[in-house]
Amino acid sequence: MSDRGRTVTFEVLGALRARLGESTLALGSVQQRTVLAVLLLNANRSLTREQVIDAVWGESPPTYALNLVQKHISGLRRVLEPGRSPRTPSRVLTWTDAGYSVLVPPGALDLEVFESEVARGRAARAEGDLQQASEALHGALKLWRGPLCEGLDSPALTAERERLGERRVDVLEDRIDLDLTLGRTLELVDELRRLAARHPLRERLRVLLMLALYRSGRQAEALAVFHEARRHLLDELGVEPGPQLRRVHEQILAADPQLTTAPAARRGALPSPAQLPHGMPDFTGRESELARLDALCAGGGSVRPVVIHALAGMGGVGKTALAVHWAHRARRRFPDGQLYVNLRGYDPTGAAMRPAEALRGFLDSFAVPPDRIPVTVEAQAALFRSLVADQRMLLILDNAENAEQVRPLLPGSAGSVVVVTSRDQLSGLVVSEGAQLLTVDTLSAEESRAFLARRLGAGRVDADPDATGVLIERCGRLPLALAIVAARAAIRPDVPLKALADELRVARGGLDAFRSDDRATDMRSVFSWSVHRLGPMGQRLFRLLALHPGPDITLYAAASLAGVRPADARAALAELVRANLVNEHRPGRFTLHDLLRAYAVELAGTLETEAERHAAVGRSCDHYLQTAFPADRLINPLRDPPTVAPPLPGVIPVDLTTTEEAMTWYAAEHAVLIAVVEQAVAHRHDVCAWQLAWAVSTYLDRQGHWRDLKTVQFAALTAAERAGDRLGQAQSHRGVARGCARLDEYEDADRHLRAALELFRELGDQAGQAYTHRNLAALLEPQGRDAEALHHAQRALRLYRAVGHRAGEADTLNAVGWFHARMGDHRQSLVCCEEALALHQLLDDLGGQAQTWDSLGFAHHSLGDQAQAAACYEQALRLFRELGDRYNQATTLSRLGDAREAMGSQGSALEAWNEALAILTEIGHHAAQQVQARLARHRAERSASPPLW
């Protein structure tokens, strides 16, 4: 998240502040700052427009709340990314159909740094490094400059301000406790008196104050603090002090030596179970996950289970292997024992273990006599908590089904650490028990290669790196799939890896290559355990997701695919994410692992009829058409559109209201749109195919994605020809020609334009003919055939005027002027282009204005008026940037450099040429070579110049 390499940082622990590099940004009105504050408190998560409105205004939003939110979002984008074009997608404040999101990298938000330092401090304390723990908590608390987002007010901010205010005092208490343990007693008394007066109902502050006074030799004052606290609690709440406060009072009265010495040694009467299963001797990789697990589990000062869950919800990703490997590595931290149980939540037998069965196993581990084990689960859980109280134990609860199965097995006091593995996200534990989530992803390519090398030997793997790469790719870097393939290779040592890779290629991504006689390792069986636990809607959506061409899908696209309400699709997607069958890899964007997709394809083929599959694909394609069509109208409003039918039943388009939202949507859906056009052709949704290709062409052209443009337009042409749709054929021929022309394939472009021209003549479409003549003129220009190009431009002008097409007339006037300039008639060029500019301004056509300013710049440059030329080019450049038209930005920058060089401004000329070169190189255009040659010529001239001294 940066502007020209500078990171935007945010501070919310006090008055809201944002900095870009060393500069503090002016964030606008109070309401605009409130919108930013709400988004920052949900950093890297999406909030819908309705959620933003509710968080900012609560139950009484203004009538135009939605417009206000959009206005403030636009204002914030301008502030946070001052160098970004309004038509270029934001990299800081993003929008998808899941909502708005502020993308904040690690370390760029003080609240996130605070929580990170607190976690580091608690981990250090658990490891016995009290000095480092104290430093971390001191550093965390120094980040607070005042109340959260001081000076801003909204329902969400008020609630969060209270919560985080309490959180800060919790950390203060921990820091003071550490300082007391380190002997910093005298300096703490005054601070504790102030805090106790400010928070009179927090008993722990009174306990700490009593300890500080007692350890300072002020026993009477310590006892007075207790009596004052007791009076206050009775007067305010009518209750006696809690057990901790009473216990310290009694210890002071009894002069208990424990108040001034280290805590008593833990009791050692119980057995120390060591139940960890055998670890994998060839465990590979996972260094970042192991380090994260170390950090999460080191904070054993409070019982916070670490829930390990697989990215994309897959079985076979190696959750158990990781948990057991880490447990063996960390077991010395838990001298009182390690407990392990397989809860069979996702098991071939289909029978999950009941909590009572797991508890009985734990109690047996502590040698509890059978006659002392209570009857009820609640009483067994209470006995278990009593036995492990104050113990430092590790519990591995493997393969859990849900939070309800886990809760009775959790210790009740600090010291122990619980690691739970599950295909479910166990969100109930996160909410109620404060569990931390650790994501286990598939292996990286390097880890996958190391995995195979450990199983098969490095020599065999290194001998055929290409085949090894194919095996890794076909296994989707999933550990279980890699293990199956490695086992087959191990029992066939004489078979080259290339032969195994060829077998996987023949399987075409299916699951036949991953069969196993053991149901616990058969890929279909492993996946089926997760799918069978879904509700009917979740199972159906999982099947239908196989019909989406990917690479990912959004909420509204999923709702359209299934033909259901967004609320139902949201619930089904949430269920799939919880079950780790779908991964929300970016906010509001969901994806399937390749092998899960293969399983979903099999299910869709057997459980959905052909008609149901065809209808689902049709709704999916129509969703993108019904969204792309108005998006194109937003970024190119004067373009003549084809007639698009109303949405199919069940189709939910994305509601786009601004050009910025349209460009953001196009950028996010780019790869999906290409795939959907091709799918529409393959499934004979022909009208949708060519119209969707038409609707994405402006975006693809402006962004320089010309090969994609040519690809989708060829697909569209196939569909239109098959449907016998002559208008679709004509439009698609023009689209193919545009892509070919951008790629310098002039003969192909000419052939397609001639075909389009003939079709438009047959249809009697004069505007279509005019467009095509204008395209022919543009095609002839790079071939140096300016007289022919002028002839086509003039024919287009006559046709546009004949049908009263003013936008086309303006565009073609500029083209006529441009070709006059290229042929040396610069005065006539100025006449035509100035007339074109006036008409473009009347029509509010920014793209036409940009093109015409560029033409005027060329004419003035040719006439020797370099200052006027530079001014025209700068106007054109500003508009091209606003439109997100990268290719034309580059061409105008190149010509601007020429004008500046002619003015004698060498430095600014080089700046323009270098920027042009960067864009042309990035989009892969051959004109980059011309700019490079210009820069090389300039360097040669500079080096040949005689020295000035």
Side-chain angles (χ1 to χ4, degrees), residues 100-166:
Y100 295 109
S101 177
V102 173
L103 302 183
V104 182
L109 175 64
D110 59 354
L111 177 57
E112 179 260 330
V113 176
F114 168 76
E115 294 291 359
S116 176
E117 284 297 283
V118 170
R120 186 171 72 87
R122 288 179 173 170
R125 180 165 192 167
E127 294 292 333
D129 190 343
L130 302 187
Q131 184 61 42
Q132 182 181 344
S134 175
E135 290 173 1
L137 296 189
H138 274 276
L141 291 165
K142 285 180 180 177
L143 295 169
W144 286 80
R145 299 170 288 107
L148 179 79
C149 297
E150 187 174 14
L152 303 180
D153 189 34
S154 82
L157 290 181
T158 299
E160 196 66 4
R161 186 175 292 130
E162 292 176 1
R163 186 187 74 81
L164 286 172
E166 291 294 313

Side-chain angles (χ1 to χ4, degrees), residues 587-606:
R589 304 196 71 86
F590 304 87
T591 188
L592 281 171
H593 185 277
D594 289 345
L595 294 179
L596 273 172
R597 179 179 291 277
Y599 183 56
V601 167
E602 291 183 359
L603 294 180
T606 56

Side-chain angles (χ1 to χ4, degrees), residues 547-829:
L547 305 178
H548 186 268
D552 54 12
I553 192 169
T554 60
L555 169 64
Y556 284 2
S560 300
L561 178 70
V564 299
R565 298 177 306 160
D568 295 331
R570 182 181 289 111
L573 285 169
E575 184 182 22
L576 291 170
V577 170
R578 284 196 304 272
N580 287 319
L581 288 165
V582 163
N583 170 41
E584 189 174 5
H585 70 118
R586 282 166 36 206
R589 304 196 71 86
F590 304 87
T591 188
L592 281 171
H593 185 277
D594 289 345
L595 294 179
L596 273 172
R597 179 179 291 277
Y599 183 56
V601 167
E602 291 183 359
L603 294 180
T606 56
L607 299 177
E608 302 287 331
T609 68
E610 184 177 351
E612 288 170 336
R613 295 195 300 271
H614 185 77
V617 170
R619 288 191 299 270
S620 174
C621 296
D622 197 46
H623 160 80
Y624 291 101
L625 173 62
Q626 300 294 341
T627 307
F629 189 75
D632 183 77
R633 308 302 296 146
L634 286 167
I635 67 172
N636 195 358
L638 296 179
R639 190 180 182 200
D640 292 339
T643 301
V644 173
L648 294 172
V651 169
I652 313 292
V654 180
D655 180 22
L656 303 172
T657 58
T658 67
T659 55
E660 190 168 5
E661 287 181 1
M663 289 297 288
T664 300
W665 181 82
Y666 274 124
E669 301 291 352
H670 179 159
V672 178
L673 290 165
I674 306 305
V676 169
V677 171
E678 294 177 332
Q679 183 185 47
V681 176
H683 288 259
R684 293 182 173 271
H685 295 285
D686 293 329
V687 174
C688 183
W690 81 257
Q691 291 187 341
L692 180 56
W694 179 93
V696 302
S697 59
T698 299
Y699 164 77
L700 294 175
D701 187 42
R702 287 183 180 175
Q703 291 293 302
H705 301 300
W706 298 316
R707 296 199 181 278
D708 286 342
L709 174 63
K710 179 181 171 184
T711 296
V712 297
Q713 293 297 337
F714 258 123
L717 181 58
T718 299
E721 287 176 341
R722 184 170 57 203
D725 187 330
R726 290 194 296 167
L727 176 61
Q729 292 173 50
Q731 295 286 16
S732 300
H733 275 300
R734 284 187 61 235
V736 172
R738 186 195 296 193
C740 290
R742 294 297 199 192
L743 296 168
D744 299 338
E745 298 166 2
Y746 300 132
E747 289 185 12
D748 289 341
D750 183 80
R751 186 176 69 257
H752 283 285
L753 286 175
R754 302 289 176 181
L757 190 59
E758 184 60 32
L759 283 163
F760 283 127
R761 283 174 180 154
E762 292 174 6
L763 292 167
D765 186 342
Q766 289 184 287
Q769 295 173 55
Y771 275 117
T772 311
H773 278 296
R774 202 177 79 202
N775 296 149
L776 282 164
L779 178 65
L780 292 164
E781 176 192 335
Q783 301 177 64
R785 297 160 64 181
D786 294 328
E788 296 173 70
L790 177 59
H791 170 70
H792 281 288
Q794 289 169 333
R795 290 192 65 182
L797 182 59
R798 289 194 295 272
L799 286 165
Y800 278 132
R801 283 174 170 168
V803 295
H805 196 301
R806 305 203 71 196
E809 179 184 355
D811 284 336
T812 314
L813 272 168
N814 175 53
V816 170
W818 171 256
F819 288 113
H820 276 303
R822 283 180 60 86
M823 295 172 68
D825 192 349
H826 304 301
R827 297 295 177 189
Q828 183 59 37
S829 172

Side-chain angles (χ1 to χ4, degrees), residues 297-300 304-306 326 334 393-396 411 415-419:
C297 292
R304 297 178 59 137
V306 178
W326 176 83
F334 306 98
M393 301 197 69
L394 172 63
L395 283 75
I396 304 293
S416 295
V417 166
V418 182
V419 177

